Amino acid sequence: SFAPGLPRSTARARAASGPGHGPGYRIRKARDDDMPWIALTVTSMIMSPFGLSAPNFLVAEQAFGSERLGFAQLRSLTEDSGPFLLASLFVTPAARGQGIATELVLQLLENKQRSSARCPVYALTLKNKLGFFQRLNFRELQGAETKELPQSLALEAQLGRFIAPLAAGEPLIVLRNDG
C-alpha cells in the first residue's frame, strides 16, 4: 500500500528505506547549533531569510557520522498555525540525487498533517524547480490565484519576483499543496 497523497514511486521508495532515512542519511529535528550553518547557507544561496528558527527546520545528516547534508523548513504564515510556507530547501551538491530533498519535504508535510488542521502549504521557488515540486503534489498558482495569498507571503513573493531573476536568472513561482 502507499501513503495517501504521495506519488506511488515515492511511497514505494520510502517503504523500502523507511521514513526518516535513506541508504546513507537520516533526518532529524534541527538544533540550535545547526542554525549558524543554516543561516550562512541561506544567505549565500540568496534565499529568503525569514523564519530562521530551529523548531521550523529538519536537517539531513550522514547516517554514520554527523556531516550535515541538507535542510528545509516549514513555518506558519499566521499566528494561528496555518497556512504554511515550505522554505529554505537545500541539499549539499555532493549529496544530491539521493532523495534527501524529497524526504525532507515529505517529513515536513507529514509532521504538519499530524499536528494541525488541514490547511495549504505554499512554496516560493525558481521556475526550473517546478518538476520536483509537482512530484510532491504542489501546483503552480497562476493569475488571480496569486492575488489571494496570505499577506506575509504576498510581500515575500513580490520581493522574490524582483530578486530571483537578477540573482538566479530564473523567475520565481508560487506553488501550493492542499495535501
Side-chain angles (χ1 to χ4, degrees), residues 20-28 31 33-34 59-70:
H21 62 281
Y25 66 90
R26 66 177 167 254
I27 307 290
R28 62 169 173 78
R31 303 180 302 246
D33 66 328
D34 294 314
V59 172
E61 66 184 8
Q62 287 180 324
F64 303 102
S66 59
E67 181 182 347
R68 296 176 189 118
L69 303 174

Side-chain angles (χ1 to χ4, degrees), residues 146-171:
T146 62
K147 295 181 181 7
E148 299 170 9
L149 297 175
Q151 186 175 0
S152 61
L153 181 59
L155 175 61
E156 198 169 337
Q158 189 174 12
L159 290 169
R161 284 189 190 103
F162 175 74
I163 295 169
L166 298 173
E170 284 281 332

Side-chain angles (χ1 to χ4, degrees), residues 1-127:
S1 78
F2 71 100
L6 297 182
R8 287 185 188 275
S9 60
T10 302
R12 277 194 294 271
R14 293 186 87 211
S17 66
H21 62 281
Y25 66 90
R26 66 177 167 254
I27 307 290
R28 62 169 173 78
K29 292 180 180 179
R31 303 180 302 246
D32 288 340
D33 66 328
D34 294 314
M35 295 314 296
W37 174 67
I38 290 172
L40 181 62
T41 303
V42 164
T43 302
S44 70
M45 299 298 296
I46 313 173
M47 292 185 205
S48 170
F50 297 115
L52 300 184
S53 176
N56 295 340
F57 280 87
L58 291 179
V59 172
E61 66 184 8
Q62 287 180 324
F64 303 102
S66 59
E67 181 182 347
R68 296 176 189 118
L69 303 174
F71 56 82
Q73 74 162 312
L74 188 68
R75 62 181 167 88
S76 178
L77 291 168
T78 64
E79 292 187 24
D80 61 357
S81 75
F84 291 87
L85 178 65
L86 172 68
S88 309
L89 176 59
F90 173 79
V91 175
T92 61
R96 292 178 185 161
Q98 299 178 45
I100 294 171
T102 298
E103 189 62 34
L104 284 165
V105 172
L106 291 174
Q107 279 204 36
L108 286 168
L109 293 174
E110 288 172 4
N111 292 348
K112 181 205 69 87
Q113 285 179 336
R114 281 194 298 271
S115 65
S116 64
R118 186 179 166 114
C119 56
V121 174
Y122 294 93
L124 302 176
T125 193
L126 300 175
K127 182 77 170 176

